[in-house]
Amino acid sequence: MKFPILIINFKAYENSYGEKALQLSKSIDKVARESGIEIVVAVPSTMIHRISKEVSIPVFAQHVDAVPEGAHTGAVTPEMIKEAGAAGTLVNHSERRVRADEIDDVIKRSRRLGLETIVCVDRYELVVPIGLLGPDAILVEPPELIGTGVSVSRARPEVITNAVEMVQKVKGLKLIVGAGISTGDDVYTSIKLGAHGIGVASAVMKSKDPSKVVREFVEGAKRAVSERITGT
Ligand SMILES: O=C(CO)COP(=O)(O)O
């Protein structure tokens, strides 16, 4: 992963699968290539193979099951998503919580397989304890703001500033923030406050013009980074 980063979580929206998801991924891929900003799409596991063959951006799973290979009907393991073409996986999303020992197992197995992990948490207090398990990034999302259009950067900026302080205690760990992110300004503010990127779902998935939204996000990220470089 490169930073700043935008993580677009397709969840199970009506355009998260099939031809619509493929076209959406291609349009996001185009924005990423034109802008040079890293964008990851987290797609349903049934779509990993089809999308990863067609785009150059990293394709992530939204979840994997922490079960060993063997008799586990319905399980999707880290090995399976790797073979399908995934570059990594989200872990412990607030809509798909798992136990701490499962988070640990998925991080370790993924690392062995060359998969990246982004572990979601619901509060900044978990950044250090979960960060010490060794994921590539932590995604902090207050669950009460998810899907509301009210962004964490506007409603709860202290979540970001506290998480920024925490993430510095874990060497190499990157901080992504999300919940309610809707505008380029939300992305700008999140990165200005010190996050390495943002996670988003509904603002893109429910938009009539998703690539316009993604382009706005990219502009917000670029503005924040250039101001950081110039110190303004
Ligand atoms: O859960 C999220 C991303 O993983 C955030 O969802 P919304 O962007 O819809 O608030």
Side-chain angles (χ1 to χ4, degrees):
M1 283 183 272
K2 263 180 20 189
F3 299 90
I5 194 166
L6 312 181
I7 312 290
I8 302 177
N9 183 357
F10 283 22
K11 300 195 176 180
Y13 284 106
E14 57 88 24
N15 48 351
S16 69
Y17 62 96
E19 191 58 27
K20 285 182 184 171
L22 184 61
Q23 293 313 322
L24 176 57
S25 303
K26 284 184 175 176
S27 69
I28 294 169
D29 185 43
K30 186 161 179 275
V31 178
R33 277 186 282 115
E34 285 168 0
S35 65
I37 294 284
E38 178 93 320
I39 309 181
V40 166
V41 286
V43 306
S45 18
T46 52
M47 289 302 293
I48 292 170
H49 183 63
R50 190 166 165 197
I51 292 174
S52 62
K53 276 198 314 191
E54 302 276 342
V55 299
S56 53
I57 52 175
V59 176
F60 271 44
Q62 298 172 10
H63 165 84
V64 285
D65 294 304
V67 294
E69 290 180 313
H72 301 286
T73 301
V76 176
T77 64
E79 290 76 9
M80 291 178 194
I81 64 153
K82 169 78 183 176
E83 200 276 336
T89 184
L90 301 182
V91 185
N92 194 45
H93 192 277
S94 73
E95 291 149 11
R96 198 64 195 262
R97 288 286 184 230
V98 296
R99 297 188 313 262
D101 63 299
E102 293 175 320
I103 297 175
D104 190 36
D105 182 49
V106 169
I107 291 172
K108 293 201 166 78
R109 258 165 89 183
S110 298
R111 161 113 2 104
R112 280 199 297 274
L113 292 164
L115 289 169
E116 297 184 297
T117 48
I118 300 174
V119 179
C120 308
V121 296
D122 62 357
R123 53 191 185 276
Y124 73 85
E125 290 90 339
L126 291 173
V127 168
V128 172
I130 298 294
L132 289 171
L133 300 176
D136 295 282
I138 291 269
L139 170 50
V140 181
E141 299 186 307
E144 71 279 9
L145 296 177
I146 290 179
T148 61
V150 177
S151 83
V152 60
S153 55
R154 262 176 290 152
R156 309 233 1 237
E158 75 287 357
V159 170
I160 303 180
T161 47
N162 286 328
V164 166
E165 210 182 306
M166 294 297 141
V167 84
Q168 284 158 6
K169 298 179 201 276
V170 185
K171 196 164 169 278
L173 183 65
K174 300 292 184 182
L175 173 70
I176 303 167
V177 298
I181 299 279
S182 315
T183 67
D185 272 349
D186 295 336
V187 177
Y188 168 81
T189 307
S190 301
I191 295 174
K192 270 295 256 192
L193 290 173
H196 299 104
I198 63 95
V200 63
S202 51
V204 173
M205 301 309 290
K206 292 168 84 173
S207 169
K208 287 201 172 68
D209 192 349
S211 50
K212 179 163 174 264
V213 175
V214 177
R215 262 184 260 118
E216 277 173 30
F217 288 178
V218 160
E219 289 313 313
K222 280 185 156 179
R223 189 154 55 95
V225 169
S226 72
E227 288 185 10
R228 266 207 218 162
I229 292 166
T230 57
T232 49

PDB file of all heavy atoms in Angstrom, residues 178-207:
ATOM      1  N   GLY A 178     -12.436   6.543   8.975  1.00  0.00           N
ATOM      2  CA  GLY A 178     -13.627   6.512   8.141  1.00  0.00           C
ATOM      3  C   GLY A 178     -14.886   6.629   8.968  1.00  0.00           C
ATOM      4  O   GLY A 178     -14.840   6.760  10.197  1.00  0.00           O
ATOM      5  N   ALA A 179     -16.014   6.599   8.302  1.00  0.00           N
ATOM      6  CA  ALA A 179     -17.384   6.716   8.792  1.00  0.00           C
ATOM      7  C   ALA A 179     -17.952   8.059   8.353  1.00  0.00           C
ATOM      8  O   ALA A 179     -17.479   9.117   8.781  1.00  0.00           O
ATOM      9  CB  ALA A 179     -17.525   6.553  10.304  1.00  0.00           C
ATOM     10  N   GLY A 180     -18.902   7.980   7.453  1.00  0.00           N
ATOM     11  CA  GLY A 180     -19.618   9.173   7.016  1.00  0.00           C
ATOM     12  C   GLY A 180     -18.855  10.072   6.057  1.00  0.00           C
ATOM     13  O   GLY A 180     -19.348  11.157   5.711  1.00  0.00           O
ATOM     14  N   ILE A 181     -17.670   9.666   5.634  1.00  0.00           N
ATOM     15  CA  ILE A 181     -16.877  10.516   4.721  1.00  0.00           C
ATOM     16  C   ILE A 181     -17.691  10.755   3.439  1.00  0.00           C
ATOM     17  O   ILE A 181     -18.132   9.803   2.792  1.00  0.00           O
ATOM     18  CB  ILE A 181     -15.531   9.835   4.366  1.00  0.00           C
ATOM     19  CG1 ILE A 181     -14.678   9.590   5.611  1.00  0.00           C
ATOM     20  CG2 ILE A 181     -14.783  10.619   3.265  1.00  0.00           C
ATOM     21  CD1 ILE A 181     -13.888  10.752   6.131  1.00  0.00           C
ATOM     22  N   SER A 182     -17.905  12.033   3.086  1.00  0.00           N
ATOM     23  CA  SER A 182     -18.807  12.341   1.961  1.00  0.00           C
ATOM     24  C   SER A 182     -18.233  13.314   0.948  1.00  0.00           C
ATOM     25  O   SER A 182     -18.686  13.352  -0.186  1.00  0.00           O
ATOM     26  CB  SER A 182     -20.104  12.973   2.476  1.00  0.00           C
ATOM     27  OG  SER A 182     -20.591  12.279   3.576  1.00  0.00           O
ATOM     28  N   THR A 183     -17.275  14.144   1.365  1.00  0.00           N
ATOM     29  CA  THR A 183     -16.793  15.201   0.468  1.00  0.00           C
ATOM     30  C   THR A 183     -15.262  15.219   0.418  1.00  0.00           C
ATOM     31  O   THR A 183     -14.589  14.642   1.288  1.00  0.00           O
ATOM     32  CB  THR A 183     -17.253  16.590   0.977  1.00  0.00           C
ATOM     33  OG1 THR A 183     -16.581  16.847   2.227  1.00  0.00           O
ATOM     34  CG2 THR A 183     -18.750  16.660   1.179  1.00  0.00           C
ATOM     35  N   GLY A 184     -14.772  15.945  -0.601  1.00  0.00           N
ATOM     36  CA  GLY A 184     -13.332  16.149  -0.695  1.00  0.00           C
ATOM     37  C   GLY A 184     -12.788  16.833   0.547  1.00  0.00           C
ATOM     38  O   GLY A 184     -11.680  16.540   0.999  1.00  0.00           O
ATOM     39  N   ASP A 185     -13.581  17.719   1.128  1.00  0.00           N
ATOM     40  CA  ASP A 185     -13.149  18.408   2.351  1.00  0.00           C
ATOM     41  C   ASP A 185     -12.989  17.434   3.522  1.00  0.00           C
ATOM     42  O   ASP A 185     -12.104  17.604   4.359  1.00  0.00           O
ATOM     43  CB  ASP A 185     -14.163  19.490   2.741  1.00  0.00           C
ATOM     44  CG  ASP A 185     -13.851  20.822   2.073  1.00  0.00           C
ATOM     45  OD1 ASP A 185     -12.751  20.946   1.485  1.00  0.00           O
ATOM     46  OD2 ASP A 185     -14.712  21.722   2.119  1.00  0.00           O
ATOM     47  N   ASP A 186     -13.869  16.430   3.574  1.00  0.00           N
ATOM     48  CA  ASP A 186     -13.738  15.423   4.650  1.00  0.00           C
ATOM     49  C   ASP A 186     -12.407  14.685   4.522  1.00  0.00           C
ATOM     50  O   ASP A 186     -11.738  14.404   5.524  1.00  0.00           O
ATOM     51  CB  ASP A 186     -14.886  14.398   4.585  1.00  0.00           C
ATOM     52  CG  ASP A 186     -16.240  15.010   4.856  1.00  0.00           C
ATOM     53  OD1 ASP A 186     -16.302  16.063   5.512  1.00  0.00           O
ATOM     54  OD2 ASP A 186     -17.255  14.429   4.386  1.00  0.00           O
ATOM     55  N   VAL A 187     -12.041  14.364   3.289  1.00  0.00           N
ATOM     56  CA  VAL A 187     -10.776  13.663   3.050  1.00  0.00           C
ATOM     57  C   VAL A 187      -9.613  14.593   3.403  1.00  0.00           C
ATOM     58  O   VAL A 187      -8.665  14.200   4.101  1.00  0.00           O
ATOM     59  CB  VAL A 187     -10.685  13.197   1.576  1.00  0.00           C
ATOM     60  CG1 VAL A 187      -9.340  12.536   1.301  1.00  0.00           C
ATOM     61  CG2 VAL A 187     -11.834  12.258   1.247  1.00  0.00           C
ATOM     62  N   TYR A 188      -9.718  15.822   2.924  1.00  0.00           N
ATOM     63  CA  TYR A 188      -8.686  16.827   3.211  1.00  0.00           C
ATOM     64  C   TYR A 188      -8.464  16.961   4.720  1.00  0.00           C
ATOM     65  O   TYR A 188      -7.336  16.872   5.210  1.00  0.00           O
ATOM     66  CB  TYR A 188      -9.122  18.170   2.608  1.00  0.00           C
ATOM     67  CG  TYR A 188      -8.324  19.355   3.060  1.00  0.00           C
ATOM     68  CD1 TYR A 188      -7.093  19.640   2.482  1.00  0.00           C
ATOM     69  CD2 TYR A 188      -8.805  20.199   4.063  1.00  0.00           C
ATOM     70  CE1 TYR A 188      -6.350  20.733   2.910  1.00  0.00           C
ATOM     71  CE2 TYR A 188      -8.066  21.284   4.491  1.00  0.00           C
ATOM     72  CZ  TYR A 188      -6.843  21.554   3.914  1.00  0.00           C
ATOM     73  OH  TYR A 188      -6.113  22.621   4.344  1.00  0.00           O
ATOM     74  N   THR A 189      -9.567  17.165   5.468  1.00  0.00           N
ATOM     75  CA  THR A 189      -9.444  17.376   6.922  1.00  0.00           C
ATOM     76  C   THR A 189      -8.855  16.147   7.604  1.00  0.00           C
ATOM     77  O   THR A 189      -7.982  16.269   8.471  1.00  0.00           O
ATOM     78  CB  THR A 189     -10.828  17.690   7.537  1.00  0.00           C
ATOM     79  OG1 THR A 189     -11.402  18.769   6.813  1.00  0.00           O
ATOM     80  CG2 THR A 189     -10.724  18.052   8.994  1.00  0.00           C
ATOM     81  N   SER A 190      -9.304  14.955   7.196  1.00  0.00           N
ATOM     82  CA  SER A 190      -8.806  13.721   7.837  1.00  0.00           C
ATOM     83  C   SER A 190      -7.300  13.614   7.683  1.00  0.00           C
ATOM     84  O   SER A 190      -6.588  13.288   8.641  1.00  0.00           O
ATOM     85  CB  SER A 190      -9.471  12.494   7.197  1.00  0.00           C
ATOM     86  OG  SER A 190     -10.867  12.572   7.334  1.00  0.00           O
ATOM     87  N   ILE A 191      -6.811  13.901   6.481  1.00  0.00           N
ATOM     88  CA  ILE A 191      -5.368  13.767   6.225  1.00  0.00           C
ATOM     89  C   ILE A 191      -4.599  14.927   6.872  1.00  0.00           C
ATOM     90  O   ILE A 191      -3.525  14.729   7.436  1.00  0.00           O
ATOM     91  CB  ILE A 191      -5.106  13.634   4.708  1.00  0.00           C
ATOM     92  CG1 ILE A 191      -5.743  12.319   4.220  1.00  0.00           C
ATOM     93  CG2 ILE A 191      -3.607  13.657   4.393  1.00  0.00           C
ATOM     94  CD1 ILE A 191      -5.714  12.103   2.730  1.00  0.00           C
ATOM     95  N   LYS A 192      -5.197  16.108   6.843  1.00  0.00           N
ATOM     96  CA  LYS A 192      -4.564  17.253   7.521  1.00  0.00           C
ATOM     97  C   LYS A 192      -4.391  16.980   9.018  1.00  0.00           C
ATOM     98  O   LYS A 192      -3.423  17.389   9.632  1.00  0.00           O
ATOM     99  CB  LYS A 192      -5.419  18.509   7.349  1.00  0.00           C
ATOM    100  CG  LYS A 192      -5.091  19.327   6.144  1.00  0.00           C
ATOM    101  CD  LYS A 192      -3.704  19.931   6.178  1.00  0.00           C
ATOM    102  CE  LYS A 192      -3.708  21.414   6.507  1.00  0.00           C
ATOM    103  NZ  LYS A 192      -2.388  22.034   6.249  1.00  0.00           N
ATOM    104  N   LEU A 193      -5.373  16.288   9.596  1.00  0.00           N
ATOM    105  CA  LEU A 193      -5.295  15.984  11.027  1.00  0.00           C
ATOM    106  C   LEU A 193      -4.254  14.899  11.319  1.00  0.00           C
ATOM    107  O   LEU A 193      -3.958  14.611  12.470  1.00  0.00           O
ATOM    108  CB  LEU A 193      -6.674  15.554  11.565  1.00  0.00           C
ATOM    109  CG  LEU A 193      -7.735  16.661  11.653  1.00  0.00           C
ATOM    110  CD1 LEU A 193      -9.096  16.080  12.041  1.00  0.00           C
ATOM    111  CD2 LEU A 193      -7.322  17.739  12.655  1.00  0.00           C
ATOM    112  N   GLY A 194      -3.766  14.255  10.267  1.00  0.00           N
ATOM    113  CA  GLY A 194      -2.660  13.299  10.475  1.00  0.00           C
ATOM    114  C   GLY A 194      -2.924  11.873  10.032  1.00  0.00           C
ATOM    115  O   GLY A 194      -2.043  11.018  10.152  1.00  0.00           O
ATOM    116  N   ALA A 195      -4.137  11.593   9.531  1.00  0.00           N
ATOM    117  CA  ALA A 195      -4.414  10.231   9.048  1.00  0.00           C
ATOM    118  C   ALA A 195      -3.647   9.979   7.751  1.00  0.00           C
ATOM    119  O   ALA A 195      -3.332  10.917   7.018  1.00  0.00           O
ATOM    120  CB  ALA A 195      -5.909  10.045   8.827  1.00  0.00           C
ATOM    121  N   HIS A 196      -3.360   8.703   7.468  1.00  0.00           N
ATOM    122  CA  HIS A 196      -2.669   8.346   6.227  1.00  0.00           C
ATOM    123  C   HIS A 196      -3.656   8.055   5.103  1.00  0.00           C
ATOM    124  O   HIS A 196      -3.243   7.776   3.966  1.00  0.00           O
ATOM    125  CB  HIS A 196      -1.791   7.112   6.432  1.00  0.00           C
ATOM    126  CG  HIS A 196      -0.715   7.321   7.457  1.00  0.00           C
ATOM    127  ND1 HIS A 196      -0.785   6.806   8.733  1.00  0.00           N
ATOM    128  CD2 HIS A 196       0.435   8.025   7.395  1.00  0.00           C
ATOM    129  CE1 HIS A 196       0.300   7.167   9.413  1.00  0.00           C
ATOM    130  NE2 HIS A 196       1.049   7.907   8.624  1.00  0.00           N
ATOM    131  N   GLY A 197      -4.948   8.074   5.422  1.00  0.00           N
ATOM    132  CA  GLY A 197      -5.937   7.819   4.380  1.00  0.00           C
ATOM    133  C   GLY A 197      -7.323   7.703   4.970  1.00  0.00           C
ATOM    134  O   GLY A 197      -7.521   7.886   6.181  1.00  0.00           O
ATOM    135  N   ILE A 198      -8.284   7.424   4.104  1.00  0.00           N
ATOM    136  CA  ILE A 198      -9.673   7.319   4.553  1.00  0.00           C
ATOM    137  C   ILE A 198     -10.326   6.027   4.016  1.00  0.00           C
ATOM    138  O   ILE A 198      -9.925   5.497   2.981  1.00  0.00           O
ATOM    139  CB  ILE A 198     -10.531   8.542   4.119  1.00  0.00           C
ATOM    140  CG1 ILE A 198     -10.632   8.674   2.586  1.00  0.00           C
ATOM    141  CG2 ILE A 198     -10.010   9.829   4.730  1.00  0.00           C
ATOM    142  CD1 ILE A 198     -11.837   8.062   1.970  1.00  0.00           C
ATOM    143  N   GLY A 199     -11.355   5.596   4.732  1.00  0.00           N
ATOM    144  CA  GLY A 199     -12.197   4.484   4.286  1.00  0.00           C
ATOM    145  C   GLY A 199     -13.584   5.032   4.012  1.00  0.00           C
ATOM    146  O   GLY A 199     -14.075   5.891   4.749  1.00  0.00           O
ATOM    147  N   VAL A 200     -14.211   4.555   2.949  1.00  0.00           N
ATOM    148  CA  VAL A 200     -15.531   5.078   2.578  1.00  0.00           C
ATOM    149  C   VAL A 200     -16.352   3.982   1.923  1.00  0.00           C
ATOM    150  O   VAL A 200     -15.807   3.065   1.310  1.00  0.00           O
ATOM    151  CB  VAL A 200     -15.382   6.285   1.622  1.00  0.00           C
ATOM    152  CG1 VAL A 200     -14.710   5.890   0.312  1.00  0.00           C
ATOM    153  CG2 VAL A 200     -16.713   6.962   1.357  1.00  0.00           C
ATOM    154  N   ALA A 201     -17.669   4.100   2.047  1.00  0.00           N
ATOM    155  CA  ALA A 201     -18.561   3.168   1.350  1.00  0.00           C
ATOM    156  C   ALA A 201     -19.715   3.935   0.717  1.00  0.00           C
ATOM    157  O   ALA A 201     -19.727   4.193  -0.485  1.00  0.00           O
ATOM    158  CB  ALA A 201     -19.075   2.090   2.295  1.00  0.00           C
ATOM    159  N   SER A 202     -20.704   4.366   1.545  1.00  0.00           N
ATOM    160  CA  SER A 202     -21.974   4.842   0.987  1.00  0.00           C
ATOM    161  C   SER A 202     -21.847   6.042   0.057  1.00  0.00           C
ATOM    162  O   SER A 202     -22.559   6.115  -0.944  1.00  0.00           O
ATOM    163  CB  SER A 202     -22.972   5.144   2.119  1.00  0.00           C
ATOM    164  OG  SER A 202     -22.400   5.977   3.091  1.00  0.00           O
ATOM    165  N   ALA A 203     -20.944   6.979   0.349  1.00  0.00           N
ATOM    166  CA  ALA A 203     -20.851   8.179  -0.502  1.00  0.00           C
ATOM    167  C   ALA A 203     -20.481   7.807  -1.938  1.00  0.00           C
ATOM    168  O   ALA A 203     -20.906   8.476  -2.879  1.00  0.00           O
ATOM    169  CB  ALA A 203     -19.821   9.158   0.063  1.00  0.00           C
ATOM    170  N   VAL A 204     -19.732   6.727  -2.095  1.00  0.00           N
ATOM    171  CA  VAL A 204     -19.369   6.274  -3.439  1.00  0.00           C
ATOM    172  C   VAL A 204     -20.432   5.313  -3.976  1.00  0.00           C
ATOM    173  O   VAL A 204     -20.942   5.482  -5.092  1.00  0.00           O
ATOM    174  CB  VAL A 204     -17.980   5.571  -3.423  1.00  0.00           C
ATOM    175  CG1 VAL A 204     -17.666   4.949  -4.779  1.00  0.00           C
ATOM    176  CG2 VAL A 204     -16.898   6.568  -3.013  1.00  0.00           C
ATOM    177  N   MET A 205     -20.783   4.333  -3.173  1.00  0.00           N
ATOM    178  CA  MET A 205     -21.657   3.249  -3.664  1.00  0.00           C
ATOM    179  C   MET A 205     -23.080   3.728  -3.963  1.00  0.00           C
ATOM    180  O   MET A 205     -23.761   3.166  -4.812  1.00  0.00           O
ATOM    181  CB  MET A 205     -21.698   2.097  -2.647  1.00  0.00           C
ATOM    182  CG  MET A 205     -20.350   1.475  -2.342  1.00  0.00           C
ATOM    183  SD  MET A 205     -19.414   1.000  -3.815  1.00  0.00           S
ATOM    184  CE  MET A 205     -20.372  -0.376  -4.424  1.00  0.00           C
ATOM    185  N   LYS A 206     -23.529   4.776  -3.245  1.00  0.00           N
ATOM    186  CA  LYS A 206     -24.898   5.256  -3.451  1.00  0.00           C
ATOM    187  C   LYS A 206     -24.961   6.468  -4.377  1.00  0.00           C
ATOM    188  O   LYS A 206     -26.043   7.005  -4.611  1.00  0.00           O
ATOM    189  CB  LYS A 206     -25.546   5.578  -2.094  1.00  0.00           C
ATOM    190  CG  LYS A 206     -25.774   4.311  -1.256  1.00  0.00           C
ATOM    191  CD  LYS A 206     -26.125   4.604   0.166  1.00  0.00           C
ATOM    192  CE  LYS A 206     -27.590   4.884   0.389  1.00  0.00           C
ATOM    193  NZ  LYS A 206     -27.888   4.994   1.828  1.00  0.00           N
ATOM    194  N   SER A 207     -23.808   6.875  -4.914  1.00  0.00           N
ATOM    195  CA  SER A 207     -23.792   8.050  -5.780  1.00  0.00           C
ATOM    196  C   SER A 207     -24.228   7.684  -7.198  1.00  0.00           C
ATOM    197  O   SER A 207     -23.958   6.586  -7.679  1.00  0.00           O
ATOM    198  CB  SER A 207     -22.375   8.629  -5.822  1.00  0.00           C
ATOM    199  OG  SER A 207     -22.292   9.599  -6.835  1.00  0.00           O
TER     200      SER A 207
END
